[in-house]
Amino acid sequence: MIQLFCTRELASQLDKSGKNGRIVTSTINPGFVNTAIMRDAKWPYTWWLAFLKMTLSRTPEVGGRTLIHAGEGGDETHGQYLDDCKVGK
C-alpha cells in the first residue's frame, strides 16, 4: 500500500514538473512466479515452497507479461497498480 501511495505521489510530481519528455511510472504485481530467487532457503521451508510452486505459481513468461505491459504503458497506466496486464484495484 505504501509503495502504491509513493508511486501515485511520484506520478503527480512528474505531471506537475512541466519539463520536456514523458515518464510513465506504475506499480506492478507479476504474481507468484516460479523462479530460483529462493534457491538458498533452508529446509523445511524449501519443501513448503516447492509445494506452493507446483500448485500456485506462474511461469516466468506469464509473470513477465505484466512487466512488459508496464514498460510499454501509456497515460492509462501512469500512477496505477498493474495486475495481470490491466489496471488493478
Side-chain angles (χ1 to χ4, degrees):
M1 184 64 82
I2 291 174
Q3 181 183 9
L4 180 58
F5 288 149
C6 289
T7 300
R8 289 187 175 161
E9 180 62 27
L10 176 62
S12 172
Q13 294 299 320
L14 288 170
D15 290 340
K16 291 179 190 176
S17 72
K19 295 186 178 182
N20 292 336
R22 180 79 172 131
I23 297 175
V24 176
T25 181
S26 332
T27 297
I28 60 166
N29 176 19
F32 182 46
V33 179
N34 186 358
T35 64
I37 196 165
M38 296 296 293
R39 65 185 164 271
D40 294 327
K42 305 291 184 219
W43 192 91
Y45 185 68
T46 53
W47 178 84
W48 178 245
L49 190 60
F51 172 74
L52 290 176
K53 282 183 176 182
M54 287 189 311
T55 57
L56 300 173
S57 70
R58 300 174 177 190
T59 65
E61 178 188 350
V62 173
R65 290 177 188 163
T66 303
L67 297 169
I68 300 299
H69 180 251
E72 67 180 12
D75 290 336
E76 68 278 358
T77 65
H78 185 57
Q80 300 297 318
Y81 170 74
L82 302 178
D83 187 24
D84 289 329
C85 295
K86 60 183 180 280
V87 176
K89 293 182 179 181

